[in-house]
Amino acid sequence: MKIWKSLLIVLMIFVNLAFAQPSFADRPKFSKNPDYIEVTKALKELSQTKDAQTVESLTPEEIQKRTEELTLQKYALETGINWGQCDNQTGNTIAVYGKTPNEEDDEDAVYDNNLYFLANGQSTENKWDCDGIYLANDVKVANFTSSPNGQGQELTGPAALKILDGTQLVIKTNLDTAAIDLNVPTVKVLNSKKANWFIPDISQAIINTRVPNAPSNQS
């Protein structure tokens, strides 16, 4: 009888180890994260620009600001932060991109990211990944650049603007020009050919009529 009890205990130990094994698996390496690869590449380009001083369109202050921002983004990714946050200070409702809170709903989703609406004065909820914002067809972004070495220019929607994980994007309206100002030096412009995101051709007035439904914090 004691032998059977001993065998049963040993069997239970093996069963527990078999089910617990996945918990010992290595976490996905941040070095394979597409955002991390992009940030590392951008920092290298900025370093070369700073050393060679070949880009006349950027001042030393602009190069330094972009380097500092990317350095913090790189650190955030290295420490496991895999979400971004969007803060709406435009005076209007804005549209933001993010995953469905219920992962089961993602299986039947037509697009990789859903479009949510964020009220003025609110920021998306902590740890809910805001992947970017939608730019309406009658809205402009001032001093926009998608490259760390690029010169700022004006961008008009419709467009999807993607941010990197670890970023808090603050979106404001410039009272003098009515254009949108972004606090992040560089963001990526996406279209339907680059990403499976819903990018409609609609105006800001239509967005203002939507009920805010993005998971959010009061700003």
Side-chain angles (χ1 to χ4, degrees):
M1 193 70 177
K2 290 182 179 181
I3 295 176
W4 284 110
K5 286 183 178 180
S6 299
L7 288 174
L8 182 61
I9 292 172
V10 171
L11 180 62
M12 290 177 64
I13 292 173
F14 275 109
V15 170
N16 287 333
L17 286 174
F19 282 103
Q21 189 173 1
S23 65
F24 293 103
D26 293 336
R27 294 174 58 189
K29 293 183 178 180
F30 59 81
S31 59
K32 295 181 180 180
N33 184 323
D35 284 352
Y36 185 80
I37 295 172
E38 186 175 339
V39 168
T40 303
K41 180 182 177 182
L43 276 170
K44 183 178 179 180
E45 291 177 0
L46 277 176
S47 177
Q48 292 172 345
T49 298
K50 187 176 181 180
D51 294 339
Q53 297 181 349
T54 57
V55 181
E56 296 180 359
S57 59
L58 293 179
T59 65
E61 290 77 15
E62 289 174 326
I63 293 175
Q64 182 63 28
K65 181 180 179 181
R66 295 183 188 186
T67 300
E68 291 173 354
E69 175 67 29
L70 290 170
T71 298
L72 289 180
Q73 287 178 348
K74 181 173 180 286
Y75 173 76
L77 294 168
E78 289 173 343
T79 54
I81 297 178
N82 58 359
W83 54 279
Q85 188 171 53
C86 297
D87 187 353
N88 179 16
Q89 301 296 331
T90 63
N92 296 301
T93 297
I94 65 171
V96 300
Y97 290 98
K99 298 291 190 299
T100 304
N102 187 346
E103 293 183 0
E104 294 180 359
D105 294 339
D106 279 341
E107 296 179 0
D108 299 323
V110 177
Y111 298 99
D112 294 338
N113 263 324
N114 292 333
L115 204 60
Y116 296 86
F117 300 97
L118 184 66
N120 176 57
Q122 291 187 345
S123 61
T124 52
E125 192 173 63
N126 293 348
K127 298 185 179 180
W128 183 81
D129 188 13
C130 180
D131 283 322
I133 64 171
Y134 168 76
L135 191 66
N137 60 19
D138 54 353
V139 174
K140 298 178 180 179
V141 175
N143 198 31
F144 164 82
T145 177
S146 59
S147 167
N149 294 338
Q151 185 177 12
Q153 56 185 320
E154 188 176 78
L155 173 70
T156 304
L161 306 183
K162 181 183 183 300
I163 63 172
L164 300 176
D165 289 342
T167 299
Q168 184 187 54
L169 179 68
V170 180
I171 311 101
K172 295 183 178 180
T173 300
N174 189 306
L175 298 179
D176 295 327
T177 64
I180 297 297
D181 287 332
L182 307 177
N183 68 315
V184 177
T186 58
V187 292
K188 181 182 292 186
V189 181
L190 298 180
N191 55 42
S192 56
K193 294 180 180 179
K194 292 182 178 180
N196 185 28
W197 291 20
F198 179 53
I199 309 175
D201 188 1
I202 58 177
S203 66
Q204 179 60 48
I206 292 297
I207 294 176
N208 286 339
T209 66
R210 302 298 92 185
V211 175
N213 64 345
S216 62
N217 301 319
Q218 287 290 342
S219 184

